Amino acid sequence: MKKTVVIDIVALSSRVIGEHTPFLKSWIDKKQHSVIEPVLPAVTCSAQSVYLTGKMPNEHGIVGNGWYFQDECEIKFWRQSNRLVQSPKIWDKLKSENPEFTCANLFWWYNMYSTVDYAVTPRPLYPADGRKLPDCHSQPMELRDRLQQELGQFPLFSFWGPNANISSTQWIADAAKKVDEWHNPTLNLIYLPHLDYALQKYGIDFEKIGKSLQEIDAVAQDLITYFENRGAEVILLSEYGITSVSKPIHINRLLRSAGWIQVKNELGLETLDAGTSQAFAVADHQVAHVHIQDQNLYSQVKGLLENTPGIEQVLDKKAQKAYGLDHERSGDLVVVADKDSWFTYYFWMDDKKAPDYARCVDIHRKPGYDPVELILDPKIKVPLLKVGSKVLKKKLGFRYLMDVIPLDATLVKGAHGRIPESDEDKPVFVSNTSLNAKNTIQPTEVFELIYRALKA
């Protein structure tokens, strides 16, 4: 088998490849640069699962970055077990054909408890005193310890949140090289998240995102050069492109105003009680899954959404089939925003009653995706002092609440999830011309192209 490396540069699109990415532009110009028609929803977990299984969400079951777990009556985002993916993965097929094949997965999602040979993925420690400490999970388990001894602790707080920066992406790239040196896997899957941060905060504003583009270009140059010197076939791809937005849609507030959302009072603050709500939305970037637990309200809910400014499509189960999204985990309705809009998870009507996690980076408790977590509250007059005092409490072992996230969704200027009109804003697939000669490929074709590269 041909040693192959698949580098996933999140949010890389033709629109952002240019003067700020001199290496990538030069390298891509010598390759076959194709557009991937994105899956709906065009989000990390759904897209990656399509690429790795060759199946659409109605078969592999990953209908978003999170969904409503109906048997538990809970909305859960960013789960990590690979057993949630309901279709065989590319490495399963290759292992069945050649027992000598090995695979390393560096930070692609659903990376825990999979059948790859070497896996590394973020996994914080949560001591009983309430702290959250940086760490990662690996397979085999000792790989985690060896990597952190060599590279330092995985910089979790640079991976997501207001302090997200290039250091987490650099750590992943360095870890990928270490794993390759130590184990020489046949297939390397590498996830580089850095572009996601600036693009979601600022949209397509090159004055503000130029530095991030230069930083990812440098990491990509080092990584691609390393693997090409090792004789590997390098494939570069992305999951989606990010476009500029200006209008957040508070979809759960709409449903609450209609009387269909149930909240619970917890110490004077409100939490969403999905199990007893008649209708609620699982907001995920520019797509939302709307669950209607009282089917007598179906027509009313659908009508409200169809007449809401900023909502472009309301897909019932029949319409979902056209997008390969008709799965039991999908909502009764799947709602898609227009190009200027995106969906918040906000369900409270008064910020004073927002749950305590709303002002924190808390990706597992929030019943929806929250890109505002990337932004430090601009109302904090001396942010370094406030954050520093909380970090000090953490180091001293005291309980603390890192409540530094604003509740102003208009601060977010970039989003993804819908299928963009322009090819310039769609994900890319870059490979040798001998592997692929198409200008446009379907997301399910990525599986076959990776397979073909390995079998060359």
Side-chain angles (χ1 to χ4, degrees):
M1 285 189 181
K2 171 74 171 177
K3 182 179 178 68
T4 300
V5 181
V6 183
I7 301 174
D8 177 3
I9 298 183
V10 181
L12 188 69
S13 67
S14 300
R15 192 173 298 281
V16 300
I17 298 169
E19 65 171 299
H20 298 290
T21 58
F23 169 79
L24 284 172
K25 186 178 185 307
S26 173
W27 187 80
I28 291 170
D29 283 346
K30 300 170 188 173
K31 306 285 183 177
Q32 173 61 35
H33 178 189
S34 304
V35 167
I36 302 173
E37 281 295 332
V39 64
L40 186 76
V43 297
T44 292
C45 295
S46 298
Q48 288 186 6
S49 295
V50 173
Y51 297 167
L52 295 178
T53 66
K55 307 295 183 184
M56 293 297 278
N58 58 0
E59 293 189 72
H60 63 58
I62 306 304
V63 300
N65 291 327
W67 57 86
Y68 180 55
F69 286 68
Q70 298 184 43
D71 52 350
E72 298 181 63
C73 294
E74 291 185 14
I75 300 165
K76 297 181 180 181
F77 269 65
W78 305 111
R79 314 316 293 169
Q80 293 186 274
S81 172
N82 195 258
R83 297 175 190 179
L84 291 168
V85 186
Q86 297 172 337
S87 298
K89 293 80 186 176
I90 191 167
W91 55 80
D92 294 318
K93 180 177 182 178
L94 289 158
K95 281 175 177 287
S96 69
E97 295 175 355
N98 186 339
E100 295 183 359
F101 167 84
T102 56
C103 180
N105 187 338
L106 275 294
F107 284 72
W108 285 51
W109 211 250
Y110 300 115
N111 203 5
M112 289 178 65
Y113 318 123
S114 78
T115 49
V116 297
D117 301 277
Y118 312 102
V120 190
T121 198
R123 187 69 168 182
L125 300 178
Y126 294 97
D129 61 10
R131 289 176 296 159
K132 179 170 72 173
L133 304 177
D135 203 357
C136 56
H137 187 279
S138 73
Q139 182 176 305
M141 195 65 75
E142 57 268 21
L143 179 59
R144 154 187 171 259
D145 299 326
R146 188 177 182 189
L147 282 172
Q148 293 193 126
Q149 287 171 359
E150 291 270 343
L151 304 175
Q153 188 177 55
F154 171 65
L156 179 74
F157 301 123
S158 298
F159 185 74
W160 184 251
N163 191 44
N165 60 59
I166 193 63
S167 63
S168 57
T169 292
Q170 185 67 64
W171 194 98
I172 294 169
D174 291 341
K177 291 190 293 183
K178 289 292 183 184
V179 171
D180 188 69
E181 290 171 8
W182 298 336
H183 302 290
N184 192 28
T186 321
L187 174 62
N188 280 276
L189 301 167
I190 306 167
Y191 173 79
L192 304 179
H194 184 58
L195 277 190
D196 222 18
Y197 313 143
L199 281 164
Q200 289 196 60
K201 283 193 284 187
Y202 306 120
I204 307 299
D205 183 339
F206 286 101
E207 288 188 6
K208 294 181 179 178
I209 67 175
K211 180 174 181 286
S212 293
L213 287 165
Q214 293 164 9
E215 290 171 334
I216 197 67
D217 191 62
V219 173
Q221 180 175 6
D222 176 68
L223 205 54
I224 290 172
T225 302
Y226 168 84
F227 279 108
E228 287 187 335
N229 287 340
R230 302 266 288 186
E233 180 81 19
V234 176
I235 294 171
L236 179 67
L237 55 74
S238 57
E239 304 150 7
Y240 49 78
I242 288 178
T243 56
S244 296
V245 293
S246 59
K247 302 172 185 174
I249 300 172
H250 306 299
I251 188 168
N252 277 314
R253 288 178 177 170
L254 289 171
L255 298 173
R256 183 172 178 178
S257 293
W260 302 323
I261 292 278
Q262 177 65 57
V263 298
K264 180 186 176 188
N265 185 311
E266 294 188 358
L267 303 175
L269 306 178
E270 294 177 344
T271 57
L272 175 67
D273 195 75
T276 56
S277 293
Q278 294 170 304
F280 62 90
V282 181
D284 195 357
H285 298 81
Q286 291 178 302
V287 175
H289 290 264
V290 178
H291 295 266
I292 306 170
Q293 301 192 113
D294 182 349
Q295 288 297 306
N296 293 321
L297 299 172
Y298 184 91
S299 295
Q300 294 180 57
V301 175
K302 189 168 186 284
L304 172 66
L305 297 171
E306 287 175 333
N307 289 287
T308 297
I311 291 180
E312 187 170 77
Q313 291 178 284
V314 179
L315 307 175
D316 58 19
K317 286 293 187 181
K318 183 179 179 180
Q320 291 169 31
K321 290 183 180 180
Y323 295 94
L325 196 50
D326 51 316
H327 189 275
E328 63 181 2
R329 291 171 177 168
S330 293
D332 297 286
L333 300 170
V334 173
V335 184
V336 183
D338 67 22
K339 64 184 181 65
D340 296 317
S341 306
W342 65 281
F343 297 110
T344 76
Y345 78 97
Y346 298 177
F347 54 83
W348 57 90
M349 309 302 284
D350 180 351
D351 283 352
K352 293 179 181 177
K353 294 184 179 181
D356 56 0
Y357 59 70
R359 293 179 173 85
C360 301
V361 175
D362 203 336
I363 64 172
H364 298 301
R365 284 209 296 164
K366 291 181 179 179
Y369 175 72
D370 185 14
V372 187
E373 289 186 343
L374 288 167
I375 301 167
L376 194 66
D377 191 344
K379 293 180 181 178
I380 299 174
K381 294 181 179 179
V382 189
L384 289 178
L385 180 61
K386 180 164 184 176
V387 173
S389 66
K390 291 179 180 291
V391 171
L392 179 60
K393 287 181 181 179
K394 170 185 170 181
K395 290 182 176 180
L396 293 173
F398 293 106
R399 288 187 178 273
Y400 68 101
L401 189 68
M402 191 65 78
D403 51 346
V404 297
I405 305 303
L407 300 181
D408 181 3
T410 64
L411 294 170
V412 173
K413 302 302 181 184
H416 59 93
R418 68 191 294 275
I419 298 175
E421 289 81 8
S422 172
D423 285 351
E424 290 280 297
D425 298 313
K426 293 177 181 178
V428 300
F429 185 92
V430 184
S431 65
N432 285 323
T433 54
S434 59
L435 178 64
N436 171 51
K438 293 182 179 180
N439 292 325
T440 301
I441 63 174
Q442 296 301 311
T444 51
E445 291 183 86
V446 172
F447 177 97
E448 182 60 33
L449 290 170
I450 296 172
Y451 177 82
R452 196 184 303 168
L454 285 149
K455 299 291 278 189

